[in-house]
Every structure is written in structure tokens, then in C-alpha cells.
Amino acid sequence: MTFSRLHKLHAAGQSVWLDNIDRTMLASGALARQIAADALTGQTSNPTIFEKALAQGTAYDAQLAAAPDGQASAQLFESVAADDVRAACDLFRDIYAQSGGVDGYVSIEVSPTVANVEAGTIEEAHRLWQLVNRPNVMIKVPGTEEGAKAIRRLIADGLNVNVTLLFAVEAYRRVIDAYLAGLEDRLAAGGDLRHVASVASFFISRVDSEVDARLDALIAQADDAGRTRLGALKGKAAIANAKLAYALFQKQFSGARWEVLRAHGAHVQRPLWASTSTKNPAYRDVLYVEELIGPDTVNTMPPATIVAFQDHGEVARTVDAGLDQARAVLQALASEGIGMASVTDKLLAEGLASFQKSFDTLLAGLEGKLRSLGRVPAATV
């Protein structure tokens, strides 16, 4: 087998997960082949990905046509999504076993309606966990304040959790504490820590998109010297923010509190870099992979980014390099009036709104598909 760039990335301590799922890749064997050939060790999904899969082609038509009458569109979506995630979990099951539960996970997301509701998140996460019924499924939970409370309970209950929509380092600190506290609760109740896993999904490119837009507004009003100074900061915030997140990871998963849990078989909650496709064509298309490589990390990439990295990605340990420079970048942005708290608060609000919009679009598309199959969606009966 050729030792590809993705294999080198894996050898550097970073797991490659595919940020895409559809029934066609499952049924055709394409996902199985990619797992074998590309060092692929996990998979993530979200409502936007499922909406595209449902709307395009006929892969889901038979299941939708056979669905019970009167089934709500949200319930039908859960059934369809769970079938795909369950099938993908089975394909990654050997990796899960061989890695001792470190890798081989497939994610499915709670609905946006419970993003800020602790009890609702716990209830829905348990329902999805039971519906998929695989040890290597991860339940995606937004990293809101209420989400963090739910995460503690879910970890204590023994569920695997993918904490999503993280932008701020301080929010990540809250999530890490929720994970550690959940493990401690589980240990105190006599539970097994060896089969509980979590990742914390930090969204990368959206940070640069927001910061660069603010820099462009300042550049438009600046003199020559100001334009040069401000221009030098473009495309730097996202990597700097993620490196500080990784530094926090290293700090929190060391010391006495962690060593007690590790001695009982606990896994670290790995940082996962999400939203790693490059939005600005002026930037290198594998920027958000190359600059965040290091041990105990995950990068979930859309198909195009995987192809690009396979073609010309460079592998070197970068995630903990230049930490002082990262801090300097964020300090320079703050001195220009661009504080990261303002940026990340806005991005979280937009992310939650986008999550809801994607879910609504998904359900509307599902109802449209049902009508095209001669079925009447439950909402219109």
C-alpha cells in the first residue's frame, strides 16, 4: 500500500475524519474503499449534508416511500439518518476496536431546538444513542452553556459526545471541565471510563472570514501605513485562536486531576478541527490542515479538502509551534478594536441560527421528497 500524505498525517498523531455522509457512498463501497486506502478513521454529519443527500438522487426513495403513514418529518429524518450512521459505524468498527476506542467514530447531531436546553439535549442524545445502537457513535451537542451542563451528564451516563460549534477558547475551557466532571461523576458511581470518548470541535475558517471582514472595513478607511499593518493580520486569527485552544488542551489534560482519571482508563477529549475548507481563494487550500497538525487531534475534512491534501499537503508538527506569535496576533487584533470575544460571540449566534436554518431546510426538503413520491407529509395531513 502506498504511504500517502494522509497516512503521514495519521502518523503525526492527527486522525482524518470525513465531513460527509450519504447512502450512495455506503452502498457503493466507496466509503469502505476510502477507509482502506486513505487512513480515514471517522466521519461527521450534519443537517446540511443530509439535506443534500436526500434532495439529490433516489438513494432514500424506497425507505421514504415505505415509511409509516403519519410519521412526522423530524422523526422520519432521525430514522433515515440513524440508518446511515449505523451503517457507517459498522464500517469503522474494526478501527474502533483496533484503536482501543480512541478512533472509529461516526457523529449524529441533536436537533437545534434543544441547543440551549439542558434537559432536552440529554433526552434527545439518549434517544439517538439508543436508535443508532452502536458503541462507536458520537452524539453531537452544541457547546453552549446549557450544552456544557448536558455534556457532563451524558459523559457520566457513558455516551460518546462530539461537542460542536466551538469558537471561543473560554467556551472550550467550560467544555473540558464538563467532560472531566462527567468522568469524575461516572467514576464515583462505579462506571467504566475506558469506553467513553469525546471530541471538542473547534470551527476554524469561519473565524478568519469574520475577522478578515472587520479588517477590510478598517483597511478601507486607513492610510498607506495602516493598510499595510492591517493587511498583515488577515488570515491569521483562526490559526492563532486554534493554537491557543490546543495549548489549553495540553494544560488541562495534565496534572493531578487528569492523572486520577487516566489511571482508570479515561481518554483525553481530543480537539477536532472543523470547518477546515478554505473560504478565501487567496489562501492556500490546505491552510487549515497544515497549520494545525499534532498529537491527539482530529481534522474533519470535506471531500475536496481531502483530495487537495492528498495531492500537495505538507506534514509537519505545527499545532504547538509559534504560540507566542499566536498570542501576538490576537493582541494586535485587539489593539485595532477586533476582540476575539466579540468575534466568537457573533459566530456562535450565527452558527446556531445557521444550524436551525439547515434543519428547517432539511425538513422542508424531506417533505418535498415525500410529495414527489406520492406521500402526504404528516404536517399537512
Side-chain angles (χ1 to χ4, degrees):
M1 179 183 294
T2 302
F3 198 66
S4 70
R5 286 179 168 88
L6 290 178
H7 286 88
K8 292 177 182 177
L9 196 59
H10 186 79
Q14 182 163 93
S15 295
V16 179
W17 290 7
L18 175 65
D19 192 24
N20 190 38
I21 189 169
D22 63 58
R23 191 155 297 178
T24 300
M25 72 168 64
L26 294 166
S28 69
L31 179 59
R33 289 191 294 272
Q34 193 167 8
I35 292 170
D38 291 340
L40 200 65
T41 58
Q43 195 166 24
T44 51
S45 64
N46 60 51
T48 300
I49 288 172
F50 273 112
E51 192 275 328
K52 291 177 180 177
L54 283 164
Q56 299 169 5
T58 60
Y60 296 90
D61 288 6
Q63 182 175 1
L64 297 178
D69 291 331
Q71 190 171 35
S73 54
Q75 184 182 7
L76 183 53
F77 163 62
E78 278 190 5
S79 178
V80 169
D83 284 354
D84 281 2
V85 169
R86 190 181 306 111
C89 283
D90 290 344
L91 290 174
F92 283 103
R93 187 66 175 266
D94 285 348
I95 290 171
Y96 171 77
Q98 292 163 8
S99 67
V102 172
D103 238 324
Y105 292 95
V106 184
S107 297
I108 188 169
E109 197 155 9
V110 299
S111 75
T113 57
V114 298
N116 288 299
V117 183
E118 178 189 357
T121 297
I122 293 169
E123 180 183 357
E124 186 159 328
H126 272 281
R127 186 175 71 250
L128 291 172
W129 177 264
Q130 292 167 5
L131 186 61
V132 176
N133 192 28
R134 293 294 186 271
N136 55 326
V137 66
M138 273 192 168
I139 310 300
K140 289 177 78 172
V141 173
T144 60
E145 289 189 24
E146 292 301 304
K149 296 175 185 177
I151 289 159
R152 176 174 181 171
R153 171 64 182 277
L154 294 172
I155 293 299
D157 289 345
L159 277 66
N160 305 315
V161 179
N162 178 341
V163 187
T164 188
L165 286 178
L166 287 174
F167 299 96
V169 174
E170 283 309 306
Y172 181 36
R173 185 186 302 275
R174 182 171 63 232
V175 163
I176 293 174
D177 188 66
Y179 176 64
L180 294 175
L183 290 174
E184 289 165 343
D185 292 346
R186 185 167 178 79
L187 183 61
D192 188 350
L193 305 188
R194 294 171 300 167
H195 304 295
V196 184
S198 180
V199 295
S201 296
F202 236 79
F203 282 57
I204 309 301
S205 65
R206 296 186 197 181
V207 173
D208 272 345
S209 295
E210 176 62 26
V211 170
D212 286 1
R214 297 188 186 196
L215 286 169
D216 284 337
L218 295 175
I219 288 169
Q221 302 175 20
D223 57 19
D224 287 347
R227 285 194 293 271
T228 299
R229 183 183 70 254
L230 293 164
L233 293 172
K234 291 185 66 175
K236 301 289 180 63
I239 297 298
N241 192 51
K243 288 191 174 189
L244 292 184
Y246 187 78
L248 178 63
F249 160 76
Q250 290 179 307
K251 178 181 178 181
Q252 296 299 95
F253 287 95
S254 62
R257 183 184 187 187
W258 169 245
E259 286 304 317
V260 170
L261 297 169
R262 188 178 70 84
H264 286 85
H267 300 290
V268 297
Q269 182 189 53
R270 293 186 295 170
L272 180 151
W273 314 127
S275 185
T276 54
S277 61
T278 305
K279 307 299 188 290
N280 189 333
Y283 301 156
R284 185 168 167 83
D285 59 358
V286 289
L287 171 69
Y288 301 122
V289 182
E290 290 178 334
E291 295 297 324
L292 294 172
I293 298 171
D296 296 315
T297 59
V298 181
N299 197 313
T300 185
M301 307 181 207
T305 304
I306 286 180
V307 170
F309 196 86
Q310 278 284 49
D311 181 67
H312 52 265
E314 297 295 330
V315 177
R317 180 165 174 161
T318 52
V319 70
D320 49 3
L323 195 57
D324 289 341
Q325 184 179 0
R327 293 191 181 97
V329 165
L330 299 186
Q331 289 169 358
L333 287 167
S335 71
E336 302 291 350
I338 303 176
M340 286 306 295
S342 171
V343 169
T344 56
D345 285 351
K346 181 173 186 285
L347 289 173
L348 177 58
E350 290 178 348
L352 290 169
S354 177
F355 184 19
Q356 182 67 60
K357 183 179 179 181
S358 294
F359 193 71
D360 292 343
T361 301
L362 165 68
L363 296 185
L366 182 55
E367 290 172 4
K369 173 67 82 169
L370 287 171
R371 291 189 187 95
S372 74
L373 297 170
R375 302 297 301 276
V376 181
T380 63
V381 171

PDB file of all heavy atoms in Angstrom, residues 220-244:
ATOM      1  N   ALA A 220     -10.313  49.959   4.530  1.00  0.00           N
ATOM      2  CA  ALA A 220     -10.955  50.902   3.616  1.00  0.00           C
ATOM      3  C   ALA A 220     -10.844  52.342   4.091  1.00  0.00           C
ATOM      4  O   ALA A 220     -10.952  53.282   3.288  1.00  0.00           O
ATOM      5  CB  ALA A 220     -12.426  50.520   3.449  1.00  0.00           C
ATOM      6  N   GLN A 221     -10.609  52.543   5.393  1.00  0.00           N
ATOM      7  CA  GLN A 221     -10.524  53.892   5.942  1.00  0.00           C
ATOM      8  C   GLN A 221      -9.114  54.270   6.374  1.00  0.00           C
ATOM      9  O   GLN A 221      -8.898  55.357   6.909  1.00  0.00           O
ATOM     10  CB  GLN A 221     -11.469  53.998   7.147  1.00  0.00           C
ATOM     11  CG  GLN A 221     -12.932  53.672   6.832  1.00  0.00           C
ATOM     12  CD  GLN A 221     -13.791  53.686   8.077  1.00  0.00           C
ATOM     13  OE1 GLN A 221     -13.443  54.267   9.095  1.00  0.00           O
ATOM     14  NE2 GLN A 221     -14.940  53.020   7.997  1.00  0.00           N
ATOM     15  N   ALA A 222      -8.143  53.375   6.157  1.00  0.00           N
ATOM     16  CA  ALA A 222      -6.788  53.587   6.678  1.00  0.00           C
ATOM     17  C   ALA A 222      -5.885  54.278   5.672  1.00  0.00           C
ATOM     18  O   ALA A 222      -6.156  54.299   4.465  1.00  0.00           O
ATOM     19  CB  ALA A 222      -6.186  52.243   7.086  1.00  0.00           C
ATOM     20  N   ASP A 223      -4.782  54.827   6.177  1.00  0.00           N
ATOM     21  CA  ASP A 223      -3.753  55.373   5.301  1.00  0.00           C
ATOM     22  C   ASP A 223      -2.855  54.236   4.818  1.00  0.00           C
ATOM     23  O   ASP A 223      -3.093  53.068   5.143  1.00  0.00           O
ATOM     24  CB  ASP A 223      -2.939  56.457   6.021  1.00  0.00           C
ATOM     25  CG  ASP A 223      -2.288  55.959   7.312  1.00  0.00           C
ATOM     26  OD1 ASP A 223      -2.152  54.727   7.491  1.00  0.00           O
ATOM     27  OD2 ASP A 223      -1.906  56.790   8.155  1.00  0.00           O
ATOM     28  N   ASP A 224      -1.824  54.560   4.060  1.00  0.00           N
ATOM     29  CA  ASP A 224      -0.966  53.523   3.492  1.00  0.00           C
ATOM     30  C   ASP A 224      -0.346  52.646   4.581  1.00  0.00           C
ATOM     31  O   ASP A 224      -0.325  51.414   4.468  1.00  0.00           O
ATOM     32  CB  ASP A 224       0.132  54.153   2.639  1.00  0.00           C
ATOM     33  CG  ASP A 224      -0.408  54.703   1.326  1.00  0.00           C
ATOM     34  OD1 ASP A 224      -1.558  54.371   0.988  1.00  0.00           O
ATOM     35  OD2 ASP A 224       0.313  55.464   0.657  1.00  0.00           O
ATOM     36  N   ALA A 225       0.173  53.286   5.624  1.00  0.00           N
ATOM     37  CA  ALA A 225       0.814  52.516   6.701  1.00  0.00           C
ATOM     38  C   ALA A 225      -0.208  51.618   7.402  1.00  0.00           C
ATOM     39  O   ALA A 225       0.069  50.465   7.733  1.00  0.00           O
ATOM     40  CB  ALA A 225       1.468  53.458   7.702  1.00  0.00           C
ATOM     41  N   GLY A 226      -1.394  52.161   7.603  1.00  0.00           N
ATOM     42  CA  GLY A 226      -2.438  51.389   8.259  1.00  0.00           C
ATOM     43  C   GLY A 226      -2.883  50.207   7.422  1.00  0.00           C
ATOM     44  O   GLY A 226      -3.131  49.106   7.949  1.00  0.00           O
ATOM     45  N   ARG A 227      -2.989  50.409   6.116  1.00  0.00           N
ATOM     46  CA  ARG A 227      -3.396  49.310   5.243  1.00  0.00           C
ATOM     47  C   ARG A 227      -2.383  48.170   5.280  1.00  0.00           C
ATOM     48  O   ARG A 227      -2.741  46.992   5.273  1.00  0.00           O
ATOM     49  CB  ARG A 227      -3.589  49.809   3.813  1.00  0.00           C
ATOM     50  CG  ARG A 227      -4.865  50.617   3.623  1.00  0.00           C
ATOM     51  CD  ARG A 227      -5.191  50.809   2.146  1.00  0.00           C
ATOM     52  NE  ARG A 227      -4.208  51.654   1.480  1.00  0.00           N
ATOM     53  CZ  ARG A 227      -4.299  52.975   1.412  1.00  0.00           C
ATOM     54  NH1 ARG A 227      -5.334  53.606   1.977  1.00  0.00           N
ATOM     55  NH2 ARG A 227      -3.392  53.689   0.787  1.00  0.00           N
ATOM     56  N   THR A 228      -1.116  48.532   5.323  1.00  0.00           N
ATOM     57  CA  THR A 228      -0.067  47.507   5.403  1.00  0.00           C
ATOM     58  C   THR A 228      -0.141  46.753   6.723  1.00  0.00           C
ATOM     59  O   THR A 228      -0.070  45.514   6.756  1.00  0.00           O
ATOM     60  CB  THR A 228       1.315  48.150   5.248  1.00  0.00           C
ATOM     61  OG1 THR A 228       1.398  48.790   3.973  1.00  0.00           O
ATOM     62  CG2 THR A 228       2.417  47.104   5.356  1.00  0.00           C
ATOM     63  N   ARG A 229      -0.299  47.501   7.805  1.00  0.00           N
ATOM     64  CA  ARG A 229      -0.358  46.889   9.140  1.00  0.00           C
ATOM     65  C   ARG A 229      -1.576  45.980   9.277  1.00  0.00           C
ATOM     66  O   ARG A 229      -1.475  44.842   9.747  1.00  0.00           O
ATOM     67  CB  ARG A 229      -0.406  47.991  10.197  1.00  0.00           C
ATOM     68  CG  ARG A 229      -0.384  47.474  11.623  1.00  0.00           C
ATOM     69  CD  ARG A 229      -0.496  48.600  12.638  1.00  0.00           C
ATOM     70  NE  ARG A 229      -1.832  49.216  12.647  1.00  0.00           N
ATOM     71  CZ  ARG A 229      -2.116  50.408  12.143  1.00  0.00           C
ATOM     72  NH1 ARG A 229      -1.167  51.150  11.587  1.00  0.00           N
ATOM     73  NH2 ARG A 229      -3.344  50.889  12.187  1.00  0.00           N
ATOM     74  N   LEU A 230      -2.707  46.471   8.849  1.00  0.00           N
ATOM     75  CA  LEU A 230      -3.942  45.697   8.962  1.00  0.00           C
ATOM     76  C   LEU A 230      -3.954  44.508   7.999  1.00  0.00           C
ATOM     77  O   LEU A 230      -4.395  43.414   8.349  1.00  0.00           O
ATOM     78  CB  LEU A 230      -5.140  46.606   8.691  1.00  0.00           C
ATOM     79  CG  LEU A 230      -5.388  47.699   9.731  1.00  0.00           C
ATOM     80  CD1 LEU A 230      -6.325  48.765   9.177  1.00  0.00           C
ATOM     81  CD2 LEU A 230      -5.949  47.109  11.013  1.00  0.00           C
ATOM     82  N   GLY A 231      -3.426  44.721   6.810  1.00  0.00           N
ATOM     83  CA  GLY A 231      -3.392  43.647   5.822  1.00  0.00           C
ATOM     84  C   GLY A 231      -2.557  42.470   6.281  1.00  0.00           C
ATOM     85  O   GLY A 231      -2.855  41.313   5.950  1.00  0.00           O
ATOM     86  N   ALA A 232      -1.512  42.752   7.062  1.00  0.00           N
ATOM     87  CA  ALA A 232      -0.627  41.686   7.545  1.00  0.00           C
ATOM     88  C   ALA A 232      -1.324  40.771   8.553  1.00  0.00           C
ATOM     89  O   ALA A 232      -0.846  39.670   8.835  1.00  0.00           O
ATOM     90  CB  ALA A 232       0.624  42.289   8.174  1.00  0.00           C
ATOM     91  N   LEU A 233      -2.465  41.211   9.080  1.00  0.00           N
ATOM     92  CA  LEU A 233      -3.192  40.413  10.069  1.00  0.00           C
ATOM     93  C   LEU A 233      -4.247  39.515   9.434  1.00  0.00           C
ATOM     94  O   LEU A 233      -4.814  38.652  10.111  1.00  0.00           O
ATOM     95  CB  LEU A 233      -3.868  41.340  11.094  1.00  0.00           C
ATOM     96  CG  LEU A 233      -2.929  42.125  12.020  1.00  0.00           C
ATOM     97  CD1 LEU A 233      -3.717  43.133  12.837  1.00  0.00           C
ATOM     98  CD2 LEU A 233      -2.151  41.176  12.929  1.00  0.00           C
ATOM     99  N   LYS A 234      -4.518  39.695   8.164  1.00  0.00           N
ATOM    100  CA  LYS A 234      -5.556  38.892   7.519  1.00  0.00           C
ATOM    101  C   LYS A 234      -5.131  37.423   7.418  1.00  0.00           C
ATOM    102  O   LYS A 234      -3.966  37.119   7.156  1.00  0.00           O
ATOM    103  CB  LYS A 234      -5.882  39.450   6.133  1.00  0.00           C
ATOM    104  CG  LYS A 234      -6.578  40.802   6.163  1.00  0.00           C
ATOM    105  CD  LYS A 234      -6.997  41.276   4.782  1.00  0.00           C
ATOM    106  CE  LYS A 234      -8.072  40.391   4.188  1.00  0.00           C
ATOM    107  NZ  LYS A 234      -8.580  40.913   2.895  1.00  0.00           N
ATOM    108  N   GLY A 235      -6.082  36.546   7.633  1.00  0.00           N
ATOM    109  CA  GLY A 235      -5.802  35.118   7.524  1.00  0.00           C
ATOM    110  C   GLY A 235      -4.969  34.558   8.656  1.00  0.00           C
ATOM    111  O   GLY A 235      -4.438  33.445   8.538  1.00  0.00           O
ATOM    112  N   LYS A 236      -4.873  35.277   9.776  1.00  0.00           N
ATOM    113  CA  LYS A 236      -4.019  34.831  10.877  1.00  0.00           C
ATOM    114  C   LYS A 236      -4.803  34.473  12.135  1.00  0.00           C
ATOM    115  O   LYS A 236      -4.335  33.711  12.977  1.00  0.00           O
ATOM    116  CB  LYS A 236      -3.021  35.948  11.233  1.00  0.00           C
ATOM    117  CG  LYS A 236      -2.120  36.380  10.099  1.00  0.00           C
ATOM    118  CD  LYS A 236      -1.094  35.322   9.764  1.00  0.00           C
ATOM    119  CE  LYS A 236      -0.184  35.764   8.618  1.00  0.00           C
ATOM    120  NZ  LYS A 236       0.602  36.956   8.957  1.00  0.00           N
ATOM    121  N   ALA A 237      -6.016  35.006  12.275  1.00  0.00           N
ATOM    122  CA  ALA A 237      -6.740  34.869  13.541  1.00  0.00           C
ATOM    123  C   ALA A 237      -7.170  33.434  13.830  1.00  0.00           C
ATOM    124  O   ALA A 237      -7.072  32.963  14.968  1.00  0.00           O
ATOM    125  CB  ALA A 237      -7.968  35.783  13.536  1.00  0.00           C
ATOM    126  N   ALA A 238      -7.664  32.740  12.831  1.00  0.00           N
ATOM    127  CA  ALA A 238      -8.218  31.402  13.058  1.00  0.00           C
ATOM    128  C   ALA A 238      -7.160  30.432  13.559  1.00  0.00           C
ATOM    129  O   ALA A 238      -7.395  29.679  14.521  1.00  0.00           O
ATOM    130  CB  ALA A 238      -8.853  30.880  11.768  1.00  0.00           C
ATOM    131  N   ILE A 239      -6.013  30.434  12.919  1.00  0.00           N
ATOM    132  CA  ILE A 239      -4.930  29.537  13.337  1.00  0.00           C
ATOM    133  C   ILE A 239      -4.449  29.911  14.731  1.00  0.00           C
ATOM    134  O   ILE A 239      -4.216  29.039  15.585  1.00  0.00           O
ATOM    135  CB  ILE A 239      -3.768  29.590  12.330  1.00  0.00           C
ATOM    136  CG1 ILE A 239      -4.217  29.098  10.949  1.00  0.00           C
ATOM    137  CG2 ILE A 239      -2.585  28.791  12.831  1.00  0.00           C
ATOM    138  CD1 ILE A 239      -4.679  27.667  10.914  1.00  0.00           C
ATOM    139  N   ALA A 240      -4.301  31.209  14.992  1.00  0.00           N
ATOM    140  CA  ALA A 240      -3.841  31.658  16.304  1.00  0.00           C
ATOM    141  C   ALA A 240      -4.817  31.223  17.391  1.00  0.00           C
ATOM    142  O   ALA A 240      -4.418  30.715  18.454  1.00  0.00           O
ATOM    143  CB  ALA A 240      -3.684  33.175  16.307  1.00  0.00           C
ATOM    144  N   ASN A 241      -6.107  31.395  17.152  1.00  0.00           N
ATOM    145  CA  ASN A 241      -7.135  31.012  18.119  1.00  0.00           C
ATOM    146  C   ASN A 241      -7.099  29.509  18.384  1.00  0.00           C
ATOM    147  O   ASN A 241      -7.183  29.059  19.536  1.00  0.00           O
ATOM    148  CB  ASN A 241      -8.496  31.433  17.566  1.00  0.00           C
ATOM    149  CG  ASN A 241      -9.606  31.362  18.588  1.00  0.00           C
ATOM    150  OD1 ASN A 241      -9.483  31.907  19.687  1.00  0.00           O
ATOM    151  ND2 ASN A 241     -10.696  30.711  18.229  1.00  0.00           N
ATOM    152  N   ALA A 242      -6.952  28.718  17.338  1.00  0.00           N
ATOM    153  CA  ALA A 242      -6.916  27.262  17.488  1.00  0.00           C
ATOM    154  C   ALA A 242      -5.660  26.811  18.240  1.00  0.00           C
ATOM    155  O   ALA A 242      -5.708  25.863  19.034  1.00  0.00           O
ATOM    156  CB  ALA A 242      -6.984  26.592  16.119  1.00  0.00           C
ATOM    157  N   LYS A 243      -4.549  27.480  18.003  1.00  0.00           N
ATOM    158  CA  LYS A 243      -3.323  27.105  18.717  1.00  0.00           C
ATOM    159  C   LYS A 243      -3.452  27.380  20.212  1.00  0.00           C
ATOM    160  O   LYS A 243      -2.950  26.597  21.039  1.00  0.00           O
ATOM    161  CB  LYS A 243      -2.128  27.836  18.118  1.00  0.00           C
ATOM    162  CG  LYS A 243      -1.737  27.303  16.751  1.00  0.00           C
ATOM    163  CD  LYS A 243      -0.402  27.825  16.264  1.00  0.00           C
ATOM    164  CE  LYS A 243      -0.010  27.130  14.959  1.00  0.00           C
ATOM    165  NZ  LYS A 243       1.383  27.431  14.531  1.00  0.00           N
ATOM    166  N   LEU A 244      -4.129  28.458  20.571  1.00  0.00           N
ATOM    167  CA  LEU A 244      -4.358  28.719  21.989  1.00  0.00           C
ATOM    168  C   LEU A 244      -5.311  27.671  22.579  1.00  0.00           C
ATOM    169  O   LEU A 244      -5.169  27.279  23.742  1.00  0.00           O
ATOM    170  CB  LEU A 244      -4.927  30.116  22.178  1.00  0.00           C
ATOM    171  CG  LEU A 244      -3.970  31.281  21.853  1.00  0.00           C
ATOM    172  CD1 LEU A 244      -4.628  32.611  22.177  1.00  0.00           C
ATOM    173  CD2 LEU A 244      -2.649  31.141  22.610  1.00  0.00           C
TER     174      LEU A 244
END
